[in-house]
Amino acid sequence: MRIGDIELKKPLALAPMENVSDPPFRRICKDYGADILYTEFANCEAVVRDVKRTLRKFEIDDAERPIGIQIYGNKPDSMERAAALAEEAKPDFIDLNAGCWVRKIAMRGDGAGLLRNLPRFEAVVKAVVRGTRLPVTAKTRLGWDEDTINILDVARMVEQCGVQMLAVHCRTRVQGYKGEADWSWLEKVKAVISIPLIGNGDVRSPEDVRRMFDTGCDGVMIGRAAIQNAWIFARAKHYLATGEHLPEPTLSERVELCLRHLRAAAEYKGERRAVLEHRKHYATYLKGEPNIAKLRAGLMQFETIEPIEERLRRFAVRSSAPTDTPAP
Ligand SMILES: Cc1cc2nc3c(=O)[nH]c(=O)nc-3n(C[C@H](O)[C@H](O)[C@H](O)COP(=O)(O)O)c2cc1C
C-alpha cells in the first residue's frame, strides 16, 4: 500500500494515543516493529493560537518515519491553518481525527462529532487537504451510534476529498470502548474505496493481526495492546511470516523495557515528571505477575529513577528465581 511516496507492505501501525504515544513510547514501538506512527492528537485551535504544550506534540524525529501528525477540530479555517503549521514540522502525513469519542470533544462536534454532521466533516476534510501539500489521512469510527452507522458514506466522501489512507476503529462513538469491535465492516469499507484501509479495534495478539488482515484491510493498527506489550509488533510479524510464535517476553525483559521507557521519558520531559507519569505504566508492564500490589505501592513513593530501577530489578530477580531448588 502507499501513502504518498511511501510504499509499505502489510504495515502495522501504532495507534495515536493521547498521553501515551509521545516520542519515547513511539520510539520503543518503532524499535519493536511498528511501521507507521502517529503523534498524539493536537487541537487545531490550540495550534493556531500557538499553545506551546500543544505544539510540543509536533516534535518528531527522523528515526520515527513514516509518522503522521494528528489534528482535530471542526472549524475548516482553523483546520486548514493547523494543517499548514503541522506541515512545517515535516511529518510524512497529516492525519485528521474524526474518531475521538470523549464527551467534551465529540459533543462540541470535534473528533467523532464530525460523524453526526457530514457536510461539516466534508468541509473539514477539504480544508485540511487544501492546507497542506503532504498526504492527508483520516481516522474515524463506524458512525455515531448503531442506528446511524455511516462509515460507507464517510469512506467514499473522504476518498473523494483527497484523503489518501483511512483508519477505522470498528466501534461507534456511543460505544466508546464497550462491546467488541465489529471487524465485519472492514470488508464492506474496502469494497467502496480504493485508498488503503487500516483496521483498528481490539487487536490483542498475533492471531488477531492475521485475522484482521484476512478481512482484506491493508494495514492493522494497534493501540492498547501495545501499551501492555510493545513486543506485539515483532511477535505479530514473526507469526505472519512463519505461522509460529516467538516466546512471550520474560519478566526481566519487561522490567528492562519499563526502565528504558522511563529513562527515555526522563530525557524528554524531565526526571520528576517522567517518574510521576510513569506510575500508570507499572501495572501494564507487570501485568500477570502475582503480588505486584505491594511492589507498585512501593514504586509510587519514589520521585527519582534510581530507587525505581533498584526495586524493579530486585523484584525481577526474586520472582525469576526457581522456588523448588533443593537446599544444599
Ligand atoms: C489512552 C488512549 C488515548 C487515545 N488517544 C487517541 C488520540 O489521540 N487520537 C486518536 O485518533 N485515537 C486515540 N485513541 C484511540 C486509539 O487510537 C484506538 O483507536 C483505540 O484504542 C482502539 O484500538 P485498540 O483496541 O487497539 O486500543 C486513544 C486510545 C487510548 C486508549
Side-chain angles (χ1 to χ4, degrees), residues 99-323:
C100 181
W101 70 292
V102 173
R103 193 174 174 79
K104 76 172 199 264
I105 291 179
M107 285 306 189
R108 69 172 185 236
D110 296 348
L114 290 170
L115 290 165
R116 279 211 289 196
N117 186 345
L118 284 204
R120 174 62 71 105
F121 193 169
E122 185 168 343
V124 166
V125 178
K126 285 181 174 160
V128 174
V129 171
R130 239 184 354 256
T132 176
R133 283 157 301 175
L134 292 172
V136 172
T137 63
K139 177 167 178 284
T140 190
R141 288 184 177 238
L142 298 177
W144 181 261
D145 61 22
E146 65 177 328
D147 298 324
T148 57
I149 288 183
N150 51 1
I151 186 60
L152 300 183
D153 291 337
V154 165
R156 286 191 206 96
M157 179 274 283
V158 297
E159 176 168 20
Q160 270 163 21
C161 294
V163 162
Q164 297 191 35
M165 178 177 84
L166 177 65
V168 179
H169 176 187
C170 299
R171 285 189 174 86
T172 63
R173 186 268 154 186
V174 165
Q175 269 182 297
Y177 284 98
K178 289 200 285 289
E180 277 188 14
D182 183 354
W183 298 357
S184 69
W185 282 97
L186 294 172
E187 199 177 332
K188 296 175 212 163
V189 174
K190 188 70 193 151
V192 299
I193 54 173
S194 52
I195 54 174
L197 174 65
I198 305 280
N200 174 234
D202 295 349
V203 174
R204 301 187 190 97
S205 66
E207 285 91 343
D208 287 345
V209 171
R210 184 153 88 185
R211 279 197 307 114
M212 189 175 261
F213 272 121
D214 287 346
T215 67
C217 62
D218 303 279
V220 169
M221 177 183 280
I222 304 174
R224 290 163 297 170
I227 309 178
Q228 287 162 16
N229 182 356
W231 284 268
I232 190 164
F233 298 103
R235 299 186 80 243
K237 283 181 169 177
H238 185 82
Y239 181 71
L240 289 178
T242 66
E244 287 173 9
H245 285 292
L246 287 172
E248 293 277 0
T250 62
L251 174 59
S252 293
E253 285 169 328
R254 282 186 282 139
V255 161
E256 287 310 318
L257 188 63
C258 177
L259 291 173
R260 178 185 155 192
H261 188 177
L262 174 56
R263 284 191 298 267
E267 222 167 274
Y268 180 66
K269 49 188 140 183
E271 182 166 2
R272 196 179 129 76
R273 198 175 137 209
V275 166
L276 296 182
E277 289 183 10
H278 212 64
R279 289 175 177 176
K280 65 176 183 273
H281 291 302
Y282 298 127
T284 49
Y285 276 113
L286 301 173
K287 198 171 177 202
E289 290 300 319
N291 309 323
I292 59 161
K294 198 165 148 227
L295 170 71
R296 276 184 64 208
L299 293 171
M300 297 298 166
Q301 299 163 19
F302 301 130
E303 296 193 359
T304 56
I305 295 181
E306 214 182 301
I308 296 174
E309 277 184 338
E310 197 269 328
R311 186 70 71 90
L312 273 174
R313 290 211 170 106
R314 194 148 38 93
F315 175 78
V317 170
R318 216 185 283 148
S319 304
S320 311
T323 51

